[in-house]
Amino acid sequence: MKPNTELDTMMFFDAALEDERTQLLTNMADAVSESRTAANQAAELNEDGEAGLLRLAEIWCAMSGVPAVIIFEGSQTELLANVVAQIYAHLIQHPFHDPVGLALCVELRYMVASLMMGEWYE
């Protein structure tokens, strides 16, 4: 059987990526609001929250187009709210199109779900 080279074999990947991206952006919009509320209420991060903040900062710094010099100021909860908002804004403007992007979407969705359940706060 001769393969049809005109078929789009990446259509399933593209659909999965778009679905993950849509769900992530919806969840991240909620997380931005939730983390801003926590920062306004002077909530404290627990150990999971500190680890999550560090990982989110790593992700944000690794994204293309992010300035080489980044200054972080404020309490941990203020930093968390700012980093979540920055990642959200970046994802809206620069959607992923590759397997690394899909993996990152899944990781971020897991992290945002944990944050939204209050698992990152004392």
Side-chain angles (χ1 to χ4, degrees):
M1 181 169 159
K2 183 179 175 183
N4 185 349
T5 58
E6 294 179 22
L7 291 177
D8 181 9
T9 59
M10 293 299 289
M11 68 184 198
F12 302 108
F13 173 82
D14 292 340
L17 181 59
E18 184 57 31
D19 184 54
E20 283 296 322
R21 182 179 178 275
T22 300
Q23 289 181 33
L24 173 62
L25 290 176
T26 300
N27 295 345
M28 285 202 77
D30 293 337
V32 169
S33 177
E34 184 72 22
S35 60
R36 292 263 186 240
T37 300
N40 290 339
Q41 295 175 350
E44 296 290 326
L45 294 182
N46 61 22
E47 193 172 295
D48 288 348
E50 290 175 359
L53 172 58
L54 288 174
R55 179 61 183 138
L56 288 172
E58 286 176 342
I59 290 169
W60 186 55
C61 290
M63 289 179 160
S64 62
V66 173
V69 176
I70 301 169
I71 298 172
F72 292 106
E73 292 181 341
S75 69
Q76 288 181 333
T77 52
E78 290 170 334
L79 293 175
L80 177 62
N82 290 336
V83 170
V84 170
Q86 291 295 330
I87 291 172
Y88 175 65
H90 184 84
L91 291 175
I92 288 173
Q93 296 175 354
H94 306 283
F96 296 121
H97 301 288
D98 59 7
V100 172
L102 180 59
L104 188 56
C105 282
V106 172
E107 181 182 7
L108 286 170
R109 275 190 53 219
Y110 174 81
M111 293 175 73
V112 166
S114 179
L115 185 151
M116 291 297 293
M117 289 191 303
E119 295 176 358
W120 289 18
Y121 301 102
E122 296 276 331

